[in-house]
Amino acid sequence: MSTNVAPRMIELVHVERSFRRADGTDVKAVNDVSFVIPEGEFVCLVGPSGCGKSTLLQMLAGLLEPSDGDIVVGNKPVTGPGPDRGVVFQKDSVFPWMRVIDNVEYGLKCRGVPAAERREIAWTYLKHVGLSHVERAWPRELSGGMLKRVAIATVFANGGRVLMLDEPFGALDYVTRHQLQDVLLNLWNADGAGTRRTVIFVTHDVDEALSLADRIMVFRSGNKVDDIAVKVSRPRTTDSLLLPEMVEIKRKLLHHLGLDHAAGLDAVADEAVA
Ligand SMILES: Nc1ncnc2c1ncn2[C@@H]1O[C@H](COP(=O)(O)OP(=O)(O)OP(=O)(O)O)[C@@H](O)[C@H]1O
Ligand SMILES: [Mg+2]
């Protein structure tokens, strides 16, 4: 029997989350979601706006409590944020009052890592993302793409075994977005088989999910409606996206997003049901 199966890193069991709207009605943002993610897997969460992706990520990050169900990360129930889990939000996760290098090493400083050691780690990751030349710069001096590089360097430097990214490249132009996808994949891949971090990456962009993911989970109205393995080898090129199996997955994703027919843009907006 094969023993080559990665241990489970994340487990969700019947997780739900409701919110009370300002008008007093309830909305179920996440509805009875269960899944297991093995260590080292790169998972993309895809689904229309409002389907519960950020809510799910915030619960995994320990920033939001489930209304029901259990979340286990690395064999421990999630009861709050922890250094085992790093998050990059859509809006820049960079402190504007700290220089670039101080941003990258801040989490390590908080955990008492000695100055020389944390500087070395921060420097290594800044180099990885191509920003060693701006280590002393202030965030206001950087472009949007550079700020994202800082956020990625920071989340890797912090050493969390689970990294969660919520539409991190959504606001970037096409070319910068592709560059950043490469930066992220190279960093993830550099740890090597057996030691890679587990990544949960939220995106609206079907091609981004196809380029990045080992597995794509699709959400609609708070429910997980599909879970698709992407077995195409890496590095993936623009040609990889044209392989028949990729085209088939893309067809499925577009169908889930309501974009496979002349449905109009209304079909993309989702509304979680109470
Ligand atoms: N704090 C809150 N109070 C009330 N309703 C909320 C709250 N947070 C989220 N919701 C609702 O929960 C549902 C899911 O929201 P969520 O932000 O998780 O969606 P999403 O999939 O991340 O959408 P997007 O792609 O637009 O970021 C939506 O209907 C939203 O209005
Ligand atoms: Mg969101």
Side-chain angles (χ1 to χ4, degrees):
M1 230 177 87
S2 168
T3 52
N4 199 17
V5 177
R8 63 181 52 193
M9 180 52 99
I10 295 171
E11 182 165 16
L12 268 73
V13 185
H14 299 303
V15 170
E16 310 213 341
R17 173 68 207 206
S18 301
F19 291 107
R20 172 74 37 102
R21 290 196 187 95
D23 65 6
T25 59
D26 286 333
V27 55
K28 197 170 258 185
V30 171
N31 183 31
D32 195 11
V33 169
S34 301
F35 56 75
V36 170
I37 298 179
E39 182 171 19
E41 199 163 56
F42 198 122
V43 178
C44 283
L45 308 187
V46 172
S49 182
C51 73
K53 305 179 297 293
S54 295
T55 304
L56 198 64
L57 221 64
Q58 284 178 346
M59 290 193 286
L60 268 164
L63 300 169
L64 195 65
E65 255 186 84
S67 315
D68 205 356
D70 298 305
I71 303 181
V72 178
V73 174
N75 292 322
K76 282 192 296 219
V78 169
T79 53
D84 57 326
R85 283 155 289 140
V87 192
V88 176
F89 296 103
Q90 183 165 6
K91 299 235 172 84
D92 296 315
S93 326
V94 172
F95 298 127
W97 60 88
M98 285 183 196
R99 292 182 191 273
V100 165
I101 186 96
D102 296 325
N103 258 289
V104 179
E105 63 176 67
Y106 181 69
L108 299 169
K109 186 177 176 182
C110 292
R111 296 213 310 282
V113 176
E117 193 183 328
R118 63 179 194 249
R119 186 117 312 197
E120 179 71 30
I121 295 170
W123 171 251
T124 302
Y125 282 105
L126 272 180
K127 219 164 50 187
H128 262 295
V129 301
L131 285 187
S132 44
H133 59 298
V134 292
E135 61 159 335
R136 302 285 304 150
W138 296 100
R140 64 173 177 272
E141 300 173 72
L142 307 189
S143 68
M146 291 164 99
L147 288 171
K148 283 295 166 202
R149 286 175 193 254
V150 176
I152 290 172
T154 304
V155 85
F156 272 87
N158 282 340
R161 297 300 303 156
V162 175
L163 307 184
M164 291 168 268
L165 301 99
D166 194 352
E167 302 198 45
F169 310 146
L172 302 176
D173 68 84
Y174 183 82
V175 173
T176 309
R177 169 186 279 247
H178 279 80
Q179 288 168 342
L180 269 286
Q181 289 169 5
D182 283 347
V183 165
L184 175 64
L185 270 184
N186 287 338
L187 267 178
W188 171 75
N189 200 34
D191 286 334
T195 53
R196 290 195 185 103
R197 332 271 181 122
T198 308
V199 178
I200 311 211
F201 186 105
V202 172
T203 179
H204 274 111
D205 181 334
V206 167
D207 286 335
E208 184 163 67
L210 290 168
S211 302
L212 295 177
D214 292 319
R215 176 178 172 192
I216 302 174
M217 290 190 203
V218 188
F219 290 82
R220 285 222 65 155
S221 304
N223 298 291
K224 190 181 78 163
V225 294
D226 210 345
D227 193 337
I228 306 166
V230 186
K231 295 196 176 122
V232 173
S233 61
R234 302 171 194 280
R236 294 184 190 149
T237 61
T238 41
D239 283 346
S240 311
L241 294 177
L242 301 173
L243 291 168
E245 58 259 57
M246 282 296 210
V247 173
E248 192 46 43
I249 297 172
K250 183 165 181 173
R251 198 190 308 275
K252 268 192 197 174
L253 296 175
L254 293 177
H255 173 72
H256 283 305
L257 292 170
L259 293 172
D260 56 346
H261 54 84
L265 287 176
D266 284 351
V268 185
D270 204 357
E271 175 61 19
V273 286

